[in-house]
Amino acid sequence: MTKFSRRQFLITAGAATAASVLIHGCSSGSSTSKSDAKGSSSSSTGPAANAPKVETTKAKLGFIALTDSSPLIIAKEKGIFEKYGMKDVVLEKQKSWPVTRDNIKLGSAAGGIDGAHILSPMPYLITLNDKVPMYLLARLNTNGQAISVANTYKEMKVGLDSKGLKQAVDKAKSANKQLKTAITLPGGTHDLWMRYWLAAGGINPDKDVVNEPVPPPQMVANLKVGTVDAFCVGEPWNAQLVNQKLGYTALVTGELWKDHPEKAFAMRKDWVDKNPQAAKALLMAIQEAQQWCDKLENKEEMCKIVSGRKYFNVDVKDILGRAKGTIDYGDGRPVVENSPLLMKFWSDNASYPYKSHDTWFLTENIRWGKLPADTKVKELVDSINREDLWKEAAKAIGVPDAQIPTSTSRGVETFFDGVKFDPEKPEEYLKSLKIKKA
């Protein structure tokens, strides 16, 4: 691996061939699953009585090997898509978020995909930057991500407060070097978590560090060989890093913002407009799968299924602990049991796509110059966020009224550093931030 430049490694790591080199040639004890999950129960006894009369039974959906894709995988493996008439749903594993984006741009008719497990800001970025209109149909989860750092920084006690990293940043800069942080996609959730965390500690993510995208499954390998010093990604990759003793978790992102929105289920607008009943059926299935995934008694089966070779291809132990709320930070802090900051798929309105949350994502992208300052945020959110379709699907599967939010806003949000975001006054939030581009 020493023959590769850092830039070459980061680029090549996204390819399957490089991944094979990394897993088999550069790391010892790399996690692989011992067997695919088999024999999972399926409800393939014909459509349910409340199944919509779908225009098509086919849909191609993308996912990345991250625990928050579990609802799509469970809906497929447990026959829930089929239960609601979508018997020909195909799940296609994506190598990275840029690949997901490009396949959505193609659409299934041109060999791509119709929708995906996706970073919540991406439907907006694809609509604006790639001119492919999208609908955001559901939130897939809250919480469940982390910022992990190399063991080198244990002595600095780098944790929720990133100020401990400032000394290392300044030392590197004095030697004409920069610390390297990895995120999964510019403007995506992990980019925004990393940026918020660094800026809260006085570190400018655009000037003080090099912040580069790396495919989620390649984060651990990149940190191991020293091409990055820290990364922000979803599970199971943070837990795998700890299990392999290659680094530690500085913080889980629920500490940054409790019950923060994370991934979404989104589809091309033209597909949904052409197949509204099929879209409803997909939503009904995913919502049912989210409820299933959230039950503690199902966590082990869920993890066994998603850890299989065709999905994540990792050891179950890399997924199960944090899925149940057990957090081993890997730096000597006490192991947390039954954490309230575990990944949530349904509870506490985790599935409902609050428009106020999309407003924050867009505001943060304006903060960092990823979107122009004159972006018409409310108009954009109203056109892409289809919480109305989410409500239709929820009612169709019998979700109690008490579990269906009556407001599209979750209200004022408070972050770990005391900063508040009022979705009715995003301009005031921007003005209050010290480190920004906008």
Side-chain angles (χ1 to χ4, degrees), residues 8 19 83 85 106 153 164 217 286 315 337 417:
Q8 288 171 323
K83 172 182 174 180
L106 285 172
Y153 305 104
I286 289 170
D315 282 337
E337 302 285 354
D417 55 353

Side-chain angles (χ1 to χ4, degrees), residues 133-428:
M134 299 285 293
Y135 283 151
L136 191 153
L137 302 176
R139 205 75 65 193
L140 286 179
N141 68 296
T142 57
N143 301 328
Q145 321 299 296
I147 293 177
S148 293
V149 298
N151 286 326
T152 309
Y153 305 104
K154 279 184 180 178
E155 295 179 0
M156 299 176 185
K157 299 187 183 301
V158 177
L160 182 57
D161 188 342
S162 66
K163 290 178 181 177
L165 200 62
K166 189 73 165 61
Q167 180 183 349
V169 168
D170 293 341
K171 184 178 179 180
K173 288 178 73 174
S174 66
N176 293 319
K177 298 179 181 179
Q178 285 182 299
L179 262 67
K180 299 151 288 188
T181 57
I183 47 87
T184 61
L185 183 82
T189 54
H190 304 110
D191 186 22
L192 300 182
W193 309 140
M194 178 66 82
R195 286 172 174 274
Y196 194 99
W197 177 66
L198 291 172
I203 301 170
N204 189 315
D206 289 310
K207 297 179 180 180
D208 297 334
V209 298
V210 175
N211 199 33
E212 296 198 35
V214 173
Q218 299 306 323
M219 290 289 191
V220 174
N222 270 271
L223 191 139
K224 179 178 181 178
V225 299
T227 53
V228 299
D229 299 288
F231 60 67
C232 183
V233 73
E235 298 301 343
W237 308 112
N238 301 285
Q240 187 185 84
L241 183 81
V242 171
N243 290 340
Q244 294 186 10
K245 302 187 186 306
L246 297 173
Y248 72 97
T249 294
L251 68 144
V252 295
T253 48
E255 296 173 84
L256 196 77
W257 175 11
K258 187 177 185 295
D259 291 343
H260 68 78
E262 183 49 44
K263 302 299 187 301
F265 172 56
M267 299 193 75
R268 289 174 57 110
K269 177 181 181 294
D270 57 6
W271 194 96
V272 176
D273 289 345
K274 182 180 178 181
N275 306 292
Q277 293 304 305
K280 181 178 180 180
L282 291 174
L283 263 176
M284 291 167 72
I286 289 170
Q287 288 175 351
E288 184 171 315
Q290 287 180 284
Q291 294 177 52
W292 187 93
C293 289
D294 235 17
K295 293 179 180 177
L296 184 60
E297 63 266 28
N298 294 332
K299 295 293 186 184
E300 189 163 351
E301 183 182 356
M302 180 192 85
C303 293
K304 286 180 178 177
I305 290 172
V306 302
S307 68
R309 193 178 308 279
K310 66 179 177 180
Y311 293 121
F312 298 2
N313 196 29
V314 300
D315 282 337
V316 174
K317 69 178 182 180
D318 290 335
I319 312 175
L320 186 57
R322 295 196 180 190
K324 285 186 172 183
T326 300
I327 303 171
D328 179 359
Y329 288 89
D331 63 350
R333 277 177 278 177
V335 174
V336 176
E337 302 285 354
N338 302 312
S339 171
L341 304 179
L342 83 170
M343 184 178 293
K344 299 176 184 178
F345 298 102
W346 184 261
S347 62
D348 299 321
N349 298 327
S351 173
Y352 178 72
Y354 284 102
K355 288 185 176 182
S356 59
H357 291 161
D358 289 352
T359 299
W360 183 83
F361 286 128
L362 293 176
T363 302
E364 278 292 298
N365 270 299
I366 292 171
R367 173 188 184 181
W368 299 114
K370 307 294 184 182
L371 290 176
D374 61 356
T375 299
K376 296 179 179 179
V377 173
K378 186 179 186 306
E379 181 179 313
L380 196 59
V381 171
D382 286 342
S383 67
I384 293 175
N385 182 305
R386 294 304 306 272
E387 56 82 33
D388 58 318
L389 299 183
W390 185 97
K391 287 181 178 178
E392 285 183 23
K395 290 176 181 177
I397 63 171
V399 174
D401 289 343
Q403 293 183 27
I404 299 178
T406 56
S407 172
T408 60
S409 174
R410 202 171 69 174
V412 176
E413 305 282 353
T414 303
F415 295 82
F416 82 105
D417 55 353
V419 172
K420 295 182 183 296
F421 173 74
D422 184 343
E424 299 299 320
K425 303 173 183 177
E427 299 84 2
E428 289 187 10

